Amino acid sequence: MDFSGNQDFHKVYLAVRCQCGTAGLLSVEVAMEKTLPEVQTAMPSLLENLQTKVRMFRSMSCEMHGKMRQGRL
């Protein structure tokens, strides 16, 4: 599925879940024009950004996740 609407990127989607049942959708997008060596060079930064987003999601309370599910954020 293409959630971003940008056709010029390769996209990978990952889910992070909480014990309360809330799931967050994370993504990595890489421009199609990038070469494999360019992507390999950028990979540590891409992974670090994903790990930061996972930590942010997991640091939220289940109450906050509930508000997200209800669209109250």
Side-chain angles (χ1 to χ4, degrees):
M1 298 181 90
D2 184 2
F3 294 105
S4 73
N6 191 338
Q7 302 297 319
D8 298 328
F9 286 80
H10 294 288
K11 300 164 196 74
V12 176
Y13 296 97
L14 305 136
V16 59
R17 296 187 182 275
C18 178
Q19 64 189 17
C20 70
T22 301
L25 181 64
L26 307 176
S27 67
V28 175
E29 297 184 350
V30 177
M32 287 187 185
E33 65 191 30
K34 298 294 182 184
T35 65
L36 181 56
E38 288 174 318
V39 174
Q40 289 171 326
T41 299
M43 192 61 69
S45 176
L46 295 170
L47 291 175
E48 185 177 324
N49 288 341
L50 271 176
Q51 290 170 337
T52 297
K53 290 177 182 180
V54 168
R55 281 192 298 273
M56 289 172 56
F57 178 84
R58 290 189 173 153
S59 71
M60 296 171 129
S61 67
C62 291
E63 179 182 344
M64 186 67 71
H65 288 155
K67 288 180 182 179
M68 287 173 53
R69 285 194 313 272
Q70 296 170 0
R72 295 185 355 199
L73 276 182

Short mmCIF file of all heavy atoms in Angstrom, two decimals:
data_model
loop_
_atom_site.label_atom_id
_atom_site.label_comp_id
_atom_site.label_asym_id
_atom_site.label_seq_id
_atom_site.Cartn_x
_atom_site.Cartn_y
_atom_site.Cartn_z
N MET A 1 0.85 -1.19 0.00
CA MET A 1 0.00 0.00 0.00
C MET A 1 0.89 1.24 0.00
O MET A 1 1.92 1.27 0.64
CB MET A 1 -0.90 0.01 1.23
CG MET A 1 -1.86 -1.16 1.29
SD MET A 1 -2.91 -1.07 2.75
CE MET A 1 -4.24 -0.14 2.06
N ASP A 2 0.45 2.24 -0.68
CA ASP A 2 1.20 3.49 -0.75
C ASP A 2 0.47 4.55 0.07
O ASP A 2 -0.46 5.18 -0.41
CB ASP A 2 1.35 3.92 -2.21
CG ASP A 2 2.18 5.16 -2.35
OD1 ASP A 2 2.69 5.68 -1.34
OD2 ASP A 2 2.34 5.62 -3.49
N PHE A 3 0.91 4.74 1.31
CA PHE A 3 0.26 5.69 2.19
C PHE A 3 0.74 7.12 1.96
O PHE A 3 0.07 8.07 2.33
CB PHE A 3 0.49 5.32 3.66
CG PHE A 3 -0.16 4.02 4.05
CD1 PHE A 3 0.59 2.87 4.22
CD2 PHE A 3 -1.52 3.95 4.25
CE1 PHE A 3 -0.01 1.68 4.58
CE2 PHE A 3 -2.14 2.76 4.60
CZ PHE A 3 -1.37 1.63 4.77
N SER A 4 1.92 7.27 1.37
CA SER A 4 2.47 8.62 1.23
C SER A 4 2.02 9.31 -0.04
O SER A 4 2.08 10.52 -0.12
CB SER A 4 4.00 8.57 1.26
OG SER A 4 4.50 8.04 0.05
N GLY A 5 1.64 8.55 -1.05
CA GLY A 5 1.22 9.16 -2.30
C GLY A 5 2.37 9.62 -3.17
O GLY A 5 2.17 10.20 -4.22
N ASN A 6 3.61 9.36 -2.75
CA ASN A 6 4.77 9.77 -3.53
C ASN A 6 5.31 8.56 -4.29
O ASN A 6 5.87 7.66 -3.70
CB ASN A 6 5.84 10.37 -2.62
CG ASN A 6 6.93 11.04 -3.40
OD1 ASN A 6 7.15 10.74 -4.57
ND2 ASN A 6 7.63 11.95 -2.76
N GLN A 7 5.16 8.58 -5.60
CA GLN A 7 5.54 7.44 -6.43
C GLN A 7 7.05 7.35 -6.68
O GLN A 7 7.52 6.37 -7.24
CB GLN A 7 4.81 7.52 -7.77
CG GLN A 7 3.31 7.53 -7.64
CD GLN A 7 2.77 6.26 -7.01
OE1 GLN A 7 3.24 5.17 -7.31
NE2 GLN A 7 1.81 6.39 -6.12
N ASP A 8 7.81 8.36 -6.31
CA ASP A 8 9.24 8.41 -6.61
C ASP A 8 10.11 7.82 -5.50
O ASP A 8 11.31 8.06 -5.47
CB ASP A 8 9.67 9.85 -6.88
CG ASP A 8 8.97 10.44 -8.10
OD1 ASP A 8 8.67 9.66 -9.03
OD2 ASP A 8 8.70 11.65 -8.10
N PHE A 9 9.51 7.08 -4.59
CA PHE A 9 10.25 6.53 -3.46
C PHE A 9 9.95 5.05 -3.29
O PHE A 9 8.83 4.60 -3.52
CB PHE A 9 9.86 7.25 -2.17
CG PHE A 9 10.43 8.63 -2.05
CD1 PHE A 9 9.84 9.70 -2.70
CD2 PHE A 9 11.57 8.86 -1.29
CE1 PHE A 9 10.36 10.98 -2.60
CE2 PHE A 9 12.10 10.14 -1.18
CZ PHE A 9 11.49 11.19 -1.84
N HIS A 10 10.96 4.31 -2.87
CA HIS A 10 10.76 2.96 -2.36
C HIS A 10 10.35 3.12 -0.91
O HIS A 10 10.92 3.95 -0.19
CB HIS A 10 12.07 2.15 -2.40
CG HIS A 10 12.56 1.87 -3.78
ND1 HIS A 10 11.95 0.99 -4.64
CD2 HIS A 10 13.62 2.37 -4.46
CE1 HIS A 10 12.62 0.94 -5.77
NE2 HIS A 10 13.63 1.78 -5.70
N LYS A 11 9.37 2.35 -0.46
CA LYS A 11 8.86 2.51 0.89
C LYS A 11 8.85 1.17 1.62
O LYS A 11 8.53 0.15 1.02
CB LYS A 11 7.45 3.07 0.86
CG LYS A 11 7.36 4.42 0.21
CD LYS A 11 5.91 4.75 -0.14
CE LYS A 11 5.84 5.88 -1.12
NZ LYS A 11 6.21 5.54 -2.48
N VAL A 12 9.19 1.22 2.89
CA VAL A 12 9.08 0.05 3.76
C VAL A 12 8.28 0.50 4.97
O VAL A 12 8.57 1.54 5.58
CB VAL A 12 10.47 -0.44 4.22
CG1 VAL A 12 10.34 -1.60 5.19
CG2 VAL A 12 11.31 -0.84 3.02
N TYR A 13 7.25 -0.28 5.30
CA TYR A 13 6.41 0.04 6.45
C TYR A 13 6.62 -1.00 7.54
O TYR A 13 6.73 -2.19 7.26
CB TYR A 13 4.93 0.06 6.03
CG TYR A 13 4.63 1.14 5.03
CD1 TYR A 13 4.58 0.85 3.67
CD2 TYR A 13 4.43 2.45 5.43
CE1 TYR A 13 4.32 1.84 2.74
CE2 TYR A 13 4.17 3.44 4.50
CZ TYR A 13 4.11 3.13 3.16
OH TYR A 13 3.86 4.12 2.24
N LEU A 14 6.67 -0.53 8.77
CA LEU A 14 6.85 -1.39 9.93
C LEU A 14 5.83 -0.99 10.98
O LEU A 14 5.46 0.17 11.08
CB LEU A 14 8.26 -1.22 10.50
CG LEU A 14 9.37 -1.46 9.47
CD1 LEU A 14 10.41 -0.39 9.58
CD2 LEU A 14 9.95 -2.82 9.67
N ALA A 15 5.43 -1.96 11.76
CA ALA A 15 4.48 -1.68 12.84
C ALA A 15 5.17 -1.85 14.19
O ALA A 15 6.02 -2.72 14.36
CB ALA A 15 3.28 -2.62 12.77
N VAL A 16 4.80 -1.00 15.11
CA VAL A 16 5.23 -1.14 16.50
C VAL A 16 3.95 -1.24 17.32
O VAL A 16 2.98 -0.52 17.06
CB VAL A 16 6.14 0.03 16.95
CG1 VAL A 16 5.44 1.37 16.83
CG2 VAL A 16 6.64 -0.19 18.36
N ARG A 17 3.92 -2.16 18.26
CA ARG A 17 2.69 -2.41 19.02
C ARG A 17 2.93 -2.25 20.51
O ARG A 17 4.01 -2.48 21.01
CB ARG A 17 2.18 -3.82 18.76
CG ARG A 17 1.76 -4.03 17.32
CD ARG A 17 1.10 -5.39 17.14
NE ARG A 17 0.75 -5.59 15.75
CZ ARG A 17 -0.36 -5.15 15.19
NH1 ARG A 17 -1.24 -4.49 15.88
NH2 ARG A 17 -0.60 -5.38 13.91
N CYS A 18 1.86 -1.89 21.17
CA CYS A 18 1.86 -1.77 22.63
C CYS A 18 0.97 -2.87 23.20
O CYS A 18 0.06 -3.37 22.52
CB CYS A 18 1.31 -0.40 23.03
SG CYS A 18 1.21 -0.14 24.82
N GLN A 19 1.20 -3.21 24.45
CA GLN A 19 0.38 -4.24 25.10
C GLN A 19 -1.08 -3.84 25.20
O GLN A 19 -1.96 -4.69 25.35
CB GLN A 19 0.93 -4.57 26.49
CG GLN A 19 0.87 -3.39 27.44
CD GLN A 19 1.62 -3.65 28.73
OE1 GLN A 19 2.43 -4.55 28.81
NE2 GLN A 19 1.33 -2.85 29.74
N CYS A 20 -1.38 -2.54 25.07
CA CYS A 20 -2.77 -2.08 25.14
C CYS A 20 -3.51 -2.30 23.82
O CYS A 20 -4.70 -2.03 23.73
CB CYS A 20 -2.83 -0.60 25.54
SG CYS A 20 -2.25 0.56 24.30
N GLY A 21 -2.80 -2.78 22.80
CA GLY A 21 -3.44 -3.07 21.53
C GLY A 21 -3.23 -2.00 20.46
O GLY A 21 -3.62 -2.19 19.32
N THR A 22 -2.64 -0.90 20.82
CA THR A 22 -2.40 0.17 19.86
C THR A 22 -1.19 -0.18 19.00
O THR A 22 -0.18 -0.66 19.51
CB THR A 22 -2.14 1.51 20.58
OG1 THR A 22 -3.28 1.81 21.39
CG2 THR A 22 -1.90 2.64 19.60
N ALA A 23 -1.31 0.07 17.72
CA ALA A 23 -0.20 -0.14 16.80
C ALA A 23 0.14 1.18 16.12
O ALA A 23 -0.75 1.95 15.76
CB ALA A 23 -0.56 -1.18 15.75
N GLY A 24 1.42 1.42 15.97
CA GLY A 24 1.88 2.60 15.25
C GLY A 24 2.51 2.15 13.94
O GLY A 24 3.16 1.11 13.87
N LEU A 25 2.30 2.91 12.88
CA LEU A 25 2.86 2.61 11.58
C LEU A 25 4.08 3.50 11.36
O LEU A 25 3.97 4.72 11.39
CB LEU A 25 1.83 2.84 10.47
CG LEU A 25 2.26 2.54 9.05
CD1 LEU A 25 2.55 1.05 8.89
CD2 LEU A 25 1.18 2.98 8.07
N LEU A 26 5.22 2.88 11.15
CA LEU A 26 6.46 3.60 10.88
C LEU A 26 6.87 3.32 9.45
O LEU A 26 6.54 2.27 8.90
CB LEU A 26 7.57 3.13 11.83
CG LEU A 26 7.25 3.17 13.32
CD1 LEU A 26 8.40 2.60 14.11
CD2 LEU A 26 6.94 4.58 13.77
N SER A 27 7.60 4.23 8.85
CA SER A 27 8.02 3.99 7.47
C SER A 27 9.41 4.55 7.21
O SER A 27 9.88 5.45 7.91
CB SER A 27 7.03 4.62 6.49
OG SER A 27 7.07 6.03 6.59
N VAL A 28 10.03 3.97 6.21
CA VAL A 28 11.29 4.46 5.67
C VAL A 28 11.05 4.65 4.18
O VAL A 28 10.51 3.76 3.52
CB VAL A 28 12.44 3.45 5.90
CG1 VAL A 28 13.71 3.93 5.22
CG2 VAL A 28 12.66 3.22 7.38
N GLU A 29 11.44 5.80 3.68
CA GLU A 29 11.29 6.08 2.26
C GLU A 29 12.65 6.45 1.68
O GLU A 29 13.38 7.24 2.28
CB GLU A 29 10.30 7.22 2.03
CG GLU A 29 8.90 6.90 2.50
CD GLU A 29 7.90 7.99 2.19
OE1 GLU A 29 8.32 9.09 1.77
OE2 GLU A 29 6.70 7.74 2.34
N VAL A 30 12.97 5.87 0.55
CA VAL A 30 14.24 6.13 -0.12
C VAL A 30 13.94 6.48 -1.57
O VAL A 30 13.23 5.74 -2.26
CB VAL A 30 15.18 4.90 -0.05
CG1 VAL A 30 16.47 5.17 -0.82
CG2 VAL A 30 15.47 4.53 1.39
N ALA A 31 14.48 7.58 -2.02
CA ALA A 31 14.26 8.00 -3.41
C ALA A 31 14.75 6.93 -4.37
O ALA A 31 15.82 6.34 -4.19
CB ALA A 31 14.99 9.31 -3.67
N MET A 32 13.96 6.66 -5.39
CA MET A 32 14.31 5.64 -6.39
C MET A 32 15.62 5.96 -7.10
O MET A 32 16.30 5.06 -7.59
CB MET A 32 13.18 5.48 -7.40
CG MET A 32 11.99 4.78 -6.84
SD MET A 32 10.81 4.48 -8.15
CE MET A 32 9.48 3.80 -7.20
N GLU A 33 15.98 7.21 -7.13
CA GLU A 33 17.22 7.60 -7.83
C GLU A 33 18.48 7.25 -7.05
O GLU A 33 19.58 7.33 -7.58
CB GLU A 33 17.20 9.10 -8.13
CG GLU A 33 17.22 9.95 -6.88
CD GLU A 33 16.93 11.42 -7.12
OE1 GLU A 33 16.20 11.73 -8.08
OE2 GLU A 33 17.45 12.24 -6.34
N LYS A 34 18.35 6.87 -5.77
CA LYS A 34 19.51 6.54 -4.95
C LYS A 34 20.12 5.22 -5.39
O LYS A 34 19.41 4.26 -5.71
CB LYS A 34 19.14 6.46 -3.47
CG LYS A 34 18.63 7.75 -2.88
CD LYS A 34 19.71 8.80 -2.86
CE LYS A 34 19.19 10.08 -2.24
NZ LYS A 34 20.17 11.14 -2.27
N THR A 35 21.42 5.15 -5.37
CA THR A 35 22.12 3.91 -5.71
C THR A 35 22.23 3.05 -4.46
O THR A 35 22.06 3.54 -3.32
CB THR A 35 23.53 4.21 -6.23
OG1 THR A 35 24.29 4.81 -5.16
CG2 THR A 35 23.50 5.13 -7.45
N LEU A 36 22.52 1.77 -4.65
CA LEU A 36 22.69 0.87 -3.52
C LEU A 36 23.79 1.36 -2.58
O LEU A 36 23.58 1.39 -1.36
CB LEU A 36 22.98 -0.55 -4.00
CG LEU A 36 23.16 -1.59 -2.90
CD1 LEU A 36 21.95 -1.65 -1.97
CD2 LEU A 36 23.43 -2.96 -3.51
N PRO A 37 24.95 1.79 -3.08
CA PRO A 37 25.97 2.32 -2.15
C PRO A 37 25.48 3.54 -1.35
O PRO A 37 25.81 3.68 -0.17
CB PRO A 37 27.14 2.70 -3.06
CG PRO A 37 26.99 1.80 -4.26
CD PRO A 37 25.49 1.66 -4.44
N GLU A 38 24.68 4.40 -1.97
CA GLU A 38 24.14 5.56 -1.25
C GLU A 38 23.19 5.10 -0.13
O GLU A 38 23.22 5.65 0.98
CB GLU A 38 23.40 6.50 -2.20
CG GLU A 38 24.31 7.26 -3.14
CD GLU A 38 23.55 8.07 -4.16
OE1 GLU A 38 22.56 7.58 -4.73
OE2 GLU A 38 23.97 9.23 -4.40
N VAL A 39 22.37 4.11 -0.44
CA VAL A 39 21.43 3.60 0.57
C VAL A 39 22.21 2.92 1.70
O VAL A 39 21.90 3.10 2.87
CB VAL A 39 20.41 2.63 -0.06
CG1 VAL A 39 19.53 1.99 1.00
CG2 VAL A 39 19.55 3.38 -1.08
N GLN A 40 23.22 2.15 1.35
CA GLN A 40 24.02 1.47 2.37
C GLN A 40 24.71 2.48 3.28
O GLN A 40 24.79 2.27 4.49
CB GLN A 40 25.05 0.55 1.72
CG GLN A 40 24.41 -0.67 1.09
CD GLN A 40 25.38 -1.48 0.26
OE1 GLN A 40 26.29 -0.95 -0.38
NE2 GLN A 40 25.18 -2.80 0.26
N THR A 41 25.17 3.57 2.72
CA THR A 41 25.80 4.63 3.53
C THR A 41 24.80 5.28 4.47
O THR A 41 25.13 5.59 5.62
CB THR A 41 26.43 5.70 2.60
OG1 THR A 41 27.43 5.08 1.80
CG2 THR A 41 27.03 6.84 3.39
N ALA A 42 23.58 5.46 4.01
CA ALA A 42 22.54 6.11 4.80
C ALA A 42 21.87 5.17 5.80
O ALA A 42 21.19 5.64 6.72
CB ALA A 42 21.48 6.71 3.89
N MET A 43 22.05 3.87 5.66
CA MET A 43 21.34 2.89 6.48
C MET A 43 21.48 3.11 7.98
O MET A 43 20.48 3.06 8.71
CB MET A 43 21.76 1.47 6.10
CG MET A 43 20.87 0.41 6.69
SD MET A 43 19.14 0.53 6.16
CE MET A 43 19.28 0.06 4.46
N PRO A 44 22.67 3.37 8.52
CA PRO A 44 22.75 3.60 9.97
C PRO A 44 21.87 4.76 10.45
O PRO A 44 21.21 4.66 11.48
CB PRO A 44 24.24 3.91 10.21
CG PRO A 44 24.94 3.22 9.08
CD PRO A 44 23.99 3.35 7.90
N SER A 45 21.83 5.81 9.67
CA SER A 45 20.99 6.96 10.03
C SER A 45 19.51 6.61 9.93
O SER A 45 18.70 7.00 10.80
CB SER A 45 21.32 8.14 9.13
OG SER A 45 20.46 9.22 9.39
N LEU A 46 19.12 5.88 8.89
CA LEU A 46 17.73 5.47 8.73
C LEU A 46 17.29 4.59 9.89
O LEU A 46 16.20 4.77 10.45
CB LEU A 46 17.54 4.72 7.41
CG LEU A 46 17.76 5.52 6.12
CD1 LEU A 46 17.77 4.60 4.91
CD2 LEU A 46 16.71 6.59 5.98
N LEU A 47 18.14 3.65 10.28
CA LEU A 47 17.81 2.77 11.40
C LEU A 47 17.75 3.52 12.72
O LEU A 47 16.88 3.26 13.55
CB LEU A 47 18.83 1.62 11.48
CG LEU A 47 18.77 0.62 10.34
CD1 LEU A 47 19.90 -0.39 10.45
CD2 LEU A 47 17.43 -0.08 10.30
N GLU A 48 18.65 4.46 12.91
CA GLU A 48 18.64 5.27 14.13
C GLU A 48 17.34 6.07 14.24
O GLU A 48 16.72 6.15 15.30
CB GLU A 48 19.84 6.21 14.16
CG GLU A 48 19.96 6.99 15.44
CD GLU A 48 21.21 7.86 15.46
OE1 GLU A 48 22.25 7.44 14.93
OE2 GLU A 48 21.12 8.97 16.02
N ASN A 49 16.89 6.63 13.11
CA ASN A 49 15.64 7.39 13.10
C ASN A 49 14.45 6.49 13.44
O ASN A 49 13.55 6.88 14.19
CB ASN A 49 15.42 8.06 11.76
CG ASN A 49 16.35 9.23 11.53
OD1 ASN A 49 16.92 9.77 12.47
ND2 ASN A 49 16.54 9.60 10.29
N LEU A 50 14.44 5.27 12.89
CA LEU A 50 13.37 4.32 13.21
C LEU A 50 13.39 3.96 14.68
O LEU A 50 12.34 3.91 15.34
CB LEU A 50 13.53 3.04 12.39
CG LEU A 50 12.87 3.00 11.03
CD1 LEU A 50 13.20 1.70 10.32
CD2 LEU A 50 11.38 3.19 11.12
N GLN A 51 14.57 3.69 15.22
CA GLN A 51 14.68 3.34 16.64
C GLN A 51 14.20 4.48 17.53
O GLN A 51 13.55 4.24 18.56
CB GLN A 51 16.11 2.95 16.98
CG GLN A 51 16.51 1.63 16.35
CD GLN A 51 17.99 1.33 16.47
OE1 GLN A 51 18.81 2.24 16.64
NE2 GLN A 51 18.35 0.06 16.37
N THR A 52 14.47 5.70 17.14
CA THR A 52 13.99 6.87 17.90
C THR A 52 12.47 6.91 17.89
O THR A 52 11.83 7.14 18.93
CB THR A 52 14.57 8.17 17.32
OG1 THR A 52 15.99 8.12 17.44
CG2 THR A 52 14.01 9.39 18.02
N LYS A 53 11.86 6.66 16.73
CA LYS A 53 10.40 6.68 16.64
C LYS A 53 9.78 5.55 17.47
O LYS A 53 8.75 5.74 18.11
CB LYS A 53 9.96 6.57 15.18
CG LYS A 53 10.28 7.82 14.39
CD LYS A 53 9.91 7.67 12.94
CE LYS A 53 10.28 8.92 12.16
NZ LYS A 53 9.95 8.80 10.74
N VAL A 54 10.42 4.38 17.47
CA VAL A 54 9.93 3.27 18.30
C VAL A 54 10.00 3.64 19.77
O VAL A 54 9.04 3.43 20.52
CB VAL A 54 10.74 1.97 18.01
CG1 VAL A 54 10.44 0.90 19.06
CG2 VAL A 54 10.44 1.46 16.63
N ARG A 55 11.12 4.22 20.20
CA ARG A 55 11.26 4.64 21.61
C ARG A 55 10.20 5.66 21.99
O ARG A 55 9.63 5.61 23.08
CB ARG A 55 12.66 5.18 21.88
CG ARG A 55 13.71 4.11 22.05
CD ARG A 55 15.02 4.67 22.60
NE ARG A 55 15.64 5.65 21.71
CZ ARG A 55 16.47 5.36 20.72
NH1 ARG A 55 16.78 4.11 20.47
NH2 ARG A 55 16.98 6.31 19.98
N MET A 56 9.93 6.61 21.09
CA MET A 56 8.92 7.63 21.37
C MET A 56 7.55 6.99 21.53
O MET A 56 6.81 7.33 22.46
CB MET A 56 8.90 8.67 20.25
CG MET A 56 10.11 9.57 20.23
SD MET A 56 10.21 10.66 18.78
CE MET A 56 8.67 11.53 18.87
N PHE A 57 7.20 6.06 20.65
CA PHE A 57 5.91 5.38 20.73
C PHE A 57 5.81 4.60 22.03
O PHE A 57 4.80 4.67 22.74
CB PHE A 57 5.73 4.44 19.53
CG PHE A 57 4.44 3.67 19.55
CD1 PHE A 57 3.28 4.23 19.06
CD2 PHE A 57 4.39 2.39 20.08
CE1 PHE A 57 2.09 3.53 19.09
CE2 PHE A 57 3.20 1.68 20.11
CZ PHE A 57 2.05 2.24 19.62
N ARG A 58 6.85 3.86 22.35
CA ARG A 58 6.82 3.02 23.56
C ARG A 58 6.87 3.83 24.84
O ARG A 58 6.46 3.34 25.89
CB ARG A 58 7.96 2.02 23.51
CG ARG A 58 7.71 0.95 22.45
CD ARG A 58 8.70 -0.16 22.51
NE ARG A 58 8.31 -1.20 21.58
CZ ARG A 58 9.16 -2.04 21.01
NH1 ARG A 58 10.45 -1.97 21.30
NH2 ARG A 58 8.73 -2.96 20.18
N SER A 59 7.36 5.05 24.78
CA SER A 59 7.40 5.87 25.99
C SER A 59 6.05 6.53 26.28
O SER A 59 5.84 7.04 27.37
CB SER A 59 8.49 6.95 25.86
OG SER A 59 8.11 7.94 24.93
N MET A 60 5.14 6.50 25.32
CA MET A 60 3.80 7.05 25.53
C MET A 60 3.01 6.11 26.43
O MET A 60 3.15 4.90 26.36
CB MET A 60 3.04 7.19 24.20
CG MET A 60 3.64 8.15 23.25
SD MET A 60 2.78 7.99 21.67
CE MET A 60 2.38 9.67 21.36
N SER A 61 2.16 6.68 27.24
CA SER A 61 1.30 5.88 28.11
C SER A 61 0.19 5.22 27.30
O SER A 61 -0.16 5.67 26.20
CB SER A 61 0.68 6.76 29.19
OG SER A 61 -0.24 7.67 28.61
N CYS A 62 -0.38 4.17 27.86
CA CYS A 62 -1.52 3.51 27.20
C CYS A 62 -2.70 4.48 27.11
O CYS A 62 -3.48 4.41 26.16
CB CYS A 62 -1.91 2.24 27.96
SG CYS A 62 -0.66 0.92 27.81
N GLU A 63 -2.81 5.39 28.05
CA GLU A 63 -3.86 6.41 27.99
C GLU A 63 -3.67 7.29 26.75
O GLU A 63 -4.62 7.60 26.04
CB GLU A 63 -3.84 7.27 29.25
CG GLU A 63 -4.90 8.36 29.26
CD GLU A 63 -4.83 9.24 30.51
OE1 GLU A 63 -4.17 8.84 31.49
OE2 GLU A 63 -5.43 10.31 30.48
N MET A 64 -2.43 7.66 26.49
CA MET A 64 -2.13 8.47 25.31
C MET A 64 -2.41 7.67 24.03
O MET A 64 -2.96 8.19 23.06
CB MET A 64 -0.67 8.91 25.33
CG MET A 64 -0.32 9.86 24.23
SD MET A 64 -1.10 11.48 24.37
CE MET A 64 -0.23 12.17 25.74
N HIS A 65 -2.05 6.39 24.04
CA HIS A 65 -2.36 5.54 22.88
C HIS A 65 -3.86 5.48 22.64
O HIS A 65 -4.32 5.52 21.49
CB HIS A 65 -1.83 4.11 23.10
CG HIS A 65 -0.34 4.00 23.02
ND1 HIS A 65 0.36 3.00 23.64
CD2 HIS A 65 0.58 4.77 22.40
CE1 HIS A 65 1.64 3.14 23.38
NE2 HIS A 65 1.81 4.21 22.64
N GLY A 66 -4.64 5.39 23.72
CA GLY A 66 -6.10 5.38 23.59
C GLY A 66 -6.61 6.65 22.93
O GLY A 66 -7.50 6.61 22.08
N LYS A 67 -6.03 7.77 23.30
CA LYS A 67 -6.43 9.05 22.68
C LYS A 67 -6.06 9.07 21.20
O LYS A 67 -6.81 9.60 20.37
CB LYS A 67 -5.76 10.21 23.41
CG LYS A 67 -6.34 10.45 24.79
CD LYS A 67 -5.65 11.62 25.48
CE LYS A 67 -6.22 11.81 26.88
NZ LYS A 67 -5.55 12.91 27.59
N MET A 68 -4.92 8.47 20.87
CA MET A 68 -4.53 8.39 19.47
C MET A 68 -5.54 7.56 18.68
O MET A 68 -5.94 7.95 17.58
CB MET A 68 -3.14 7.73 19.35
CG MET A 68 -2.00 8.61 19.78
SD MET A 68 -0.41 7.73 19.82
CE MET A 68 -0.31 7.02 18.20
N ARG A 69 -5.94 6.43 19.24
CA ARG A 69 -6.91 5.56 18.55
C ARG A 69 -8.22 6.27 18.32
O ARG A 69 -8.92 6.03 17.35
CB ARG A 69 -7.14 4.28 19.35
CG ARG A 69 -6.01 3.29 19.27
CD ARG A 69 -6.42 1.91 19.78
NE ARG A 69 -7.12 1.90 21.04
CZ ARG A 69 -6.54 1.85 22.24
NH1 ARG A 69 -5.23 1.80 22.34
NH2 ARG A 69 -7.27 1.82 23.33
N GLN A 70 -8.60 7.14 19.25
CA GLN A 70 -9.86 7.84 19.15
C GLN A 70 -9.75 9.15 18.33
O GLN A 70 -10.73 9.86 18.16
CB GLN A 70 -10.39 8.18 20.54
CG GLN A 70 -10.71 6.94 21.35
CD GLN A 70 -11.01 7.26 22.80
OE1 GLN A 70 -10.97 8.42 23.22
NE2 GLN A 70 -11.27 6.23 23.59
N GLY A 71 -8.54 9.45 17.86
CA GLY A 71 -8.33 10.65 17.06
C GLY A 71 -8.40 11.93 17.87
O GLY A 71 -8.74 12.98 17.35
N ARG A 72 -8.07 11.84 19.16
CA ARG A 72 -8.17 13.02 20.03
C ARG A 72 -6.80 13.66 20.28
O ARG A 72 -6.65 14.44 21.19
CB ARG A 72 -8.79 12.61 21.36
CG ARG A 72 -10.20 12.16 21.18
CD ARG A 72 -10.94 11.86 22.44
NE ARG A 72 -10.19 11.93 23.67
CZ ARG A 72 -10.54 11.38 24.81
NH1 ARG A 72 -11.67 10.71 24.87
NH2 ARG A 72 -9.81 11.49 25.88
N LEU A 73 -5.84 13.37 19.44
CA LEU A 73 -4.51 13.99 19.56
C LEU A 73 -4.28 14.93 18.42
O LEU A 73 -4.62 14.76 17.33
CB LEU A 73 -3.41 12.95 19.58
CG LEU A 73 -3.11 12.33 20.92
CD1 LEU A 73 -1.96 11.35 20.81
CD2 LEU A 73 -2.80 13.34 21.97
#
